[in-house]
Amino acid sequence: MTIAREPSADHSGAETPHADFSFEELVAAYFDCRQNKRNKPSALAFEQDLEHNLAQLYDDLQDGSYRPGSSICFVITRPKPREVWAADFRDRIVHHLLYNRVAPRFYAGFIADSCACIPGRGTLYAARRLEAKVRSITQNWTRPASYLKLDIANFFVSIDKPLLQARLATRICELWWRGLADTILFHDPRQDVRLHSHHARLSLIPPHKSLFNQPADKGLPIGNLSSQFFANVYLDVLDQHVKHHLRARHYIRYVDDFVLLHESPQWLNDARARIETILLATLKLQLNQTKTILQPIERGIDFAGQVIKPWRRILRRRTLNDALHRMEHMPAADLFESGNSYFGLLRQATHSHHDRTRIAQILRSRGHRLNPALTKTYRRSV
């Protein structure tokens, strides 16, 4: 890791920044990292000699010799083809170490309507918060209003790293932590990558959406905690502008999807033009014109996996249809966990009994029992 140097206040020379973190902090980062990752090959390899590997990582970080390792790249096809990158388990521990130290100071300055990858602000938080805003502006569905839904085109691969670096530096004052953030930010995973998808599947990714086709100073790999955190820092500029310059009372963002509500469609149109200008001028981002929606709220707002309609929230239809199709064809051994997972997802919606009934019909037809409320399935008896 290249550590920046700064003149000392007491000497004309330069001093190496001190790595002011404890071994206990590194262990805590390891425990955070291994949640839901314990069965991954890189995690198992690291844990085979856990004490030695943690001690070696600690020494590398302390003496400035840490360098990120290789990454894995694969393609998922649902809901659409997308590259996913997975850093080595050792590097993910470092991501958590940085995140645990600096994220709270950034979160303290975020608006309450910035969601995703923030503790307590997942999809359910976003859907409920948007529903509350809809009820407020329509006075409980008694008055008309409109919504503007916007999406940033090719968001992760379009992030400008030098601009993001400047944003990170505003709240990371310690030189060593700033150097670690720069090491993670400017690491190019394409230089040492193992492809875990066939070229036929990789070809499903449009060239302009692939990190492989971006210049070195553009783009973050989708899939790493650091990228999720950095993305929120980057778009905080947008959040602050919309709330404090456009003075939008009813606004919410989930990653790169965001919604504004207003009584006047003309006001929303003007807001879209101003947002387009600030995105390009300040963040070098553009809106996805094909996903721009301006229409009455009563028609329903598809956001964060749910659809907000008058007096109800339901699961997005595409998600439900995918769930039904998968459960009809998946191996019997996977039905128990998948069924309960889908029931948990459906419980987040306010009106889901009909959808849970459709899931239950498939589970019953494949030999599973369910509880009377249709919120849980049980393992098949042998």
Side-chain angles (χ1 to χ4, degrees), residues 91-109:
D91 297 324
R92 293 202 294 270
I93 295 174
V94 177
H95 297 172
H96 278 271
L97 179 70
L98 174 71
Y99 175 86
N100 290 345
R101 174 60 71 98
V102 306
R105 65 184 74 170
F106 284 93
Y107 291 162

Side-chain angles (χ1 to χ4, degrees), residues 162-182:
L163 287 179
L164 176 54
Q165 180 188 34
R167 297 296 306 168
L168 292 168
T170 61
R171 292 183 182 269
I172 305 179
C173 302
E174 309 92 330
L175 288 182
W176 188 86
W177 289 101
R178 189 184 301 175
L180 181 61
D182 288 349

